[in-house]
Amino acid sequence: MAKKLMKGCEAIGEAAINAGCRLFFGYPITPQNEIPEYLSARLPQVGGTFLQAESEVAASNMLYGAAGAGCRVFTSSSSPGISLMMEAMSYLAGAELPVVVVNIMRGGPGLGGILPSQSDYFQATKGGGHGDYRVLVLAPSTVQEAVDLTQDAFDLADEYRNPVMVVGDGLIGQMMEPVEFKRTISPEDLPPKPWATTGCAGRKPNIINSLLLNPEHLEAHNWHLHRKYQEMVKEIRWEDWLLDEPVDVLIVAYGTVARICKTAIDVLRARGIKVGLFRPITLYPFPEPQLSAAVDKAKKVLVTELSTGQMLEDVRAVVAGRKPVSFFGRVGGMVMTPEEIEHEVDKLVVQG
Amino acid sequence: MPATIDTTEGTCALDLLKAPVTVLVGHFGSGKTEIAVNLAVALKHRGENVTLADLDLVKPYFRSRLARHELASLGIPVMVPEGDRVYADLPILVPQVKGLVATAGNGVGRAVLDVGGDDLGARVLGAIAGLTDPAHTDVLFVVNGRRPFAETLEEVVTMLREVEAASRLRVTGLVANTHLMDETTPEVVGEGLALAQRLAGLTGIPLLFCAVLEKLSGSPDIRAVVGELPVLPLVRRITPPFAVKARLPVPQKGAAVV
């Protein structure tokens, strides 16, 4: 298929269709409105259903129903809307239902603003809803990667019978880049889901539920889920950039921020400063051994995010005091410039 | 960097815009904002007094208002919602735009109106008096055939008619702007030109010029594809933060000709 010029949001919508998803339930919120807008036009063309729910709470519980019936289904929202979906996220994880949820993050807390942010890292990777659960979290840094990861997200959700989140700062959703759709699958060709509630004529009924009153059963269920989350480490993805040789400063950043860092690193390298980048692509599971190996090659570590320091905590846990870790964040919709990153690296180099 | 100067022979894109008001309409994401900003800068280069009005009531990011400080430093005022509302995604029509349109050409210079995408974005134009006279207003429909829902002749002609119905205006000229940003090839430009030419043939609306990224616009391969059609070289000014930013040139009065 010829390349198209697409906004991140549109590309995510088309990626879902290429992944065999024909159901979208959601509610508008900036800066992700182009996902529902796009799908409201596209899904009817491919025999799918676009439904604007009365709220994010409703949309996320519609996901529960559709996923329980064995359908590929997804929703998207932005930070405050995602907060409203967190009860359902916990239920979906508890009932082991595969769904894809896209969060195009904006500045918070509260209603915040409509400009880009990465301040929902904790919410995405540490739970967000109640109970001992995790969701697999993917963080693209280009529109093409948003396409590829969204398609993968549907496969991963089915494989682990668990919600998968794709998180992008607002820029990922709003910027335009050329993209291609490398693979496509129709709903009929998807693997069967023998656990789904599709009508029980001729077989034992399947039950989808997250209520387990017997504590022994609930404990066993929790340990079962825990083992599943541990298995997800084989899905870890990351990018090493200019880390073949030892570096003076290792920058750790994800999403669009990683690209801002690359622009800065080009300039720094041209000035002879040894600096490289580690980019987590899965935020959960966090690429701990891979980051640890990168840290071994560095004198100092600089974490930079569109938050006041959330991924920073995971990086510090990996570094475990071996190297100095410093932090540079912009929040509220303000985005760091390549020049600011250069300046932060310069400060670390001058300190020696 | 005199990026908006077209140094090649032939008719200049700006010469085709006779009316004091230029309105950019078209599909969502077709390139109206970059063209509006580049046109404003090009007009300023010619020594014209020009004001840009950001009437994009559709998209929340990458609006022409992002360049408002740089444009102001060049002497190009940008009309945007006041105060913190400039950051909002609210459908605000700045009332001064009506005055700008009414007085443009009467010794107060020119106006470029950057309008939101699709019929939805064009609807705001129906609220502004004085745009219906082609002698007063050029209404340019921008076509990028590599955008979703803008790939076939049927899709672009349908959108053109929907934009006309929503804005209550007639499109007076077409702009070919088919591109894939840095991955634009002569073939991509050629395909887009063919689409725009077919749209012109079907509607009778003239294809005025072809917009091409400035760094590609001098390429002989691109020129061979474009032929005699005037080219508007574009410098991307509304860019994401990781882009190595194009600095706006400081115009020297009367020095540059587009």
Side-chain angles (χ1 to χ4, degrees):
Chain A
M1 191 196 289
K3 281 200 175 184
K4 293 187 189 191
L5 186 64
M6 294 184 92
K7 274 200 172 205
C9 282
E10 298 166 336
I12 285 168
E14 187 63 33
I17 289 172
N18 279 275
C21 175
R22 293 292 180 273
L23 297 172
F24 179 92
F25 311 129
Y27 189 80
I29 183 170
T30 306
Q32 64 80 54
N33 285 321
E34 294 80 0
I35 298 176
E37 175 74 12
Y38 182 85
L39 288 170
S40 68
R42 272 292 280 147
L43 276 172
Q45 292 178 351
V46 293
T49 298
F50 166 86
L51 196 149
Q52 181 171 321
E54 57 266 53
S55 71
E56 288 87 347
V57 176
S60 51
N61 284 287
M62 290 173 184
L63 255 63
Y64 188 103
C71 300
R72 283 202 163 174
V73 57
F74 101 114
T75 191
S76 62
S77 191
S78 179
S79 311
I82 294 288
S83 292
L84 283 167
M85 295 178 174
M86 281 297 127
E87 180 200 45
M89 193 74 104
S90 170
Y91 280 59
L92 287 157
E96 300 194 78
L97 289 175
V99 299
V100 173
V101 177
V102 176
N103 182 6
I104 303 298
M105 295 181 277
R106 60 188 244 181
L111 265 180
I114 63 170
L115 292 173
S117 160
Q118 296 177 322
S119 51
D120 305 343
Y121 180 93
F122 284 156
Q123 184 191 52
T125 62
K126 313 292 181 196
H130 61 281
D132 252 329
Y133 81 94
R134 291 286 192 275
V135 300
L136 210 150
V137 184
L138 302 163
S141 80
T142 67
V143 176
Q144 182 65 57
E145 197 174 43
V147 166
D148 299 339
L149 292 180
T150 299
Q151 291 197 225
D152 291 348
F154 284 94
D155 295 336
L156 291 166
D158 282 351
E159 185 177 341
Y160 290 95
R161 283 187 61 185
N162 201 65
V164 175
M165 282 191 91
V166 178
V167 298
D169 53 82
L171 287 160
I172 289 284
Q174 292 294 321
M175 66 188 178
M176 296 211 299
E177 290 182 322
V179 291
E180 61 186 331
F181 298 87
K182 296 163 192 161
R183 59 198 168 90
T184 186
I185 188 163
S186 64
E188 305 80 58
D189 298 330
L190 293 169
K193 295 176 178 174
W195 49 263
T197 51
T198 52
C200 60
R203 64 161 166 80
K204 263 179 64 184
N206 287 333
I207 293 171
I208 289 166
N209 182 29
S210 68
L211 175 67
L212 289 163
L213 288 173
N214 181 326
E216 288 181 16
H217 294 172
L218 184 53
E219 183 181 46
H221 182 57
N222 268 278
W223 287 119
H224 158 70
L225 294 178
H226 180 73
R227 283 190 297 276
K228 196 168 75 171
Y229 304 143
Q230 285 186 314
E231 273 175 38
M232 289 178 184
V233 295
K234 67 176 193 278
E235 310 302 339
I236 282 177
R237 299 179 196 191
W238 77 98
E239 180 189 9
D240 282 327
W241 204 65
L242 299 177
L243 290 177
D244 292 337
E245 306 287 327
V247 290
D248 293 329
V249 178
L250 172 70
I251 303 180
V252 187
Y254 69 98
T256 307
V257 178
R259 295 176 76 174
I260 298 169
C261 293
K262 286 180 179 178
T263 304
I265 289 170
D266 282 343
V267 177
L268 288 159
R269 285 258 168 186
R271 284 168 39 205
I273 297 169
K274 286 184 218 146
V275 51
L277 173 77
F278 183 89
R279 177 170 73 92
I281 298 172
T282 48
L283 301 185
Y284 184 88
F286 194 68
E288 290 174 3
Q290 296 80 7
L291 174 60
S292 189
V295 168
D296 285 338
K297 296 178 182 170
K299 289 184 187 153
K300 294 180 176 183
V301 179
L302 170 65
V303 179
T304 178
E305 305 173 68
L306 298 175
S307 79
T308 54
Q310 297 193 16
M311 180 179 68
L312 174 64
E313 294 191 4
D314 286 338
V315 176
R316 279 196 176 130
V318 169
V319 176
R322 287 178 288 158
K323 305 282 167 69
V325 177
S326 56
F327 177 74
F328 181 70
R330 296 299 305 263
V331 285
M334 297 300 292
V335 179
M336 63 282 285
T337 62
E339 291 77 16
E340 285 175 320
I341 300 294
E342 278 175 57
H343 180 66
E344 292 303 311
V345 171
D346 278 336
K347 279 198 300 192
L348 294 174
V349 172
V350 169
Q351 284 164 9
Chain B
M1 181 175 58
T4 48
I5 300 168
D6 188 349
T7 52
T8 56
E9 302 292 323
T11 316
C12 294
L14 282 200
D15 290 336
L16 301 167
L17 305 178
K18 308 274 190 219
V21 180
T22 307
V23 178
L24 279 306
V25 294
H27 267 99
F28 185 59
S30 55
K32 300 173 292 299
T33 293
E34 287 290 9
I35 291 172
V37 172
N38 276 270
L39 276 178
V41 173
L43 287 166
K44 192 70 192 177
H45 272 279
R46 281 197 162 182
E48 299 230 34
N49 201 6
V50 58
T51 300
L52 177 68
D54 180 349
L55 289 184
D56 195 330
L57 313 188
V58 176
K59 66 178 185 282
Y61 289 16
F62 299 113
R63 297 178 286 201
S64 48
R65 64 192 66 174
L66 284 182
R68 65 191 183 279
H69 299 304
E70 284 177 279
L71 290 169
S73 75
L74 299 181
I76 304 170
V78 183
M79 285 190 176
V80 296
E82 283 178 6
D84 287 351
R85 286 188 288 274
V86 73
Y87 302 107
D89 54 345
L90 299 170
I92 299 166
L93 170 58
V94 182
Q96 289 85 344
V97 173
K98 295 183 179 180
L100 173 70
V101 168
T103 55
N106 298 332
V108 295
R110 302 181 61 140
V112 177
L113 272 52
D114 177 25
V115 180
D118 290 359
D119 50 326
L120 195 68
R123 190 164 301 156
V124 64
L125 294 169
I128 302 170
L131 294 173
T132 50
D133 177 7
H136 188 66
T137 307
D138 289 311
V139 181
L140 307 185
F141 185 84
V142 181
V143 181
N144 180 350
R146 288 297 185 113
R147 287 281 300 145
F149 311 119
E151 294 160 272
T152 66
L153 182 61
E154 191 189 350
E155 285 176 316
V156 287
V157 75
T158 301
M159 181 54 73
L160 187 146
R161 295 307 180 207
E162 286 175 359
V163 163
E164 288 188 325
S167 64
R168 300 184 231 170
L169 298 175
R170 307 296 294 191
V171 172
T172 61
L174 305 177
V175 178
N177 187 43
T178 297
H179 70 96
L180 286 173
M181 291 190 173
D182 292 340
E183 296 180 31
T184 307
T185 61
E187 293 71 36
V188 169
V189 174
E191 267 170 37
L193 270 176
L195 178 65
Q197 280 157 352
R198 286 163 65 214
L199 181 63
L202 186 69
T203 59
I205 301 168
L207 172 58
L208 296 184
F209 57 88
C210 180
V212 182
L213 269 182
E214 188 268 343
K215 59 185 172 187
L216 303 175
S217 64
S219 138
D221 292 344
I222 299 267
R223 289 287 169 172
V225 169
V226 177
E228 296 298 303
L229 194 69
V231 167
L232 179 73
L234 293 180
V235 175
R236 284 190 67 198
R237 304 193 191 277
I238 312 293
T239 52
F242 49 82
V244 179
K245 200 162 170 53
R247 304 289 174 200
L248 284 173
V250 179
Q252 290 165 1
K253 205 172 178 183
V257 181
V258 173

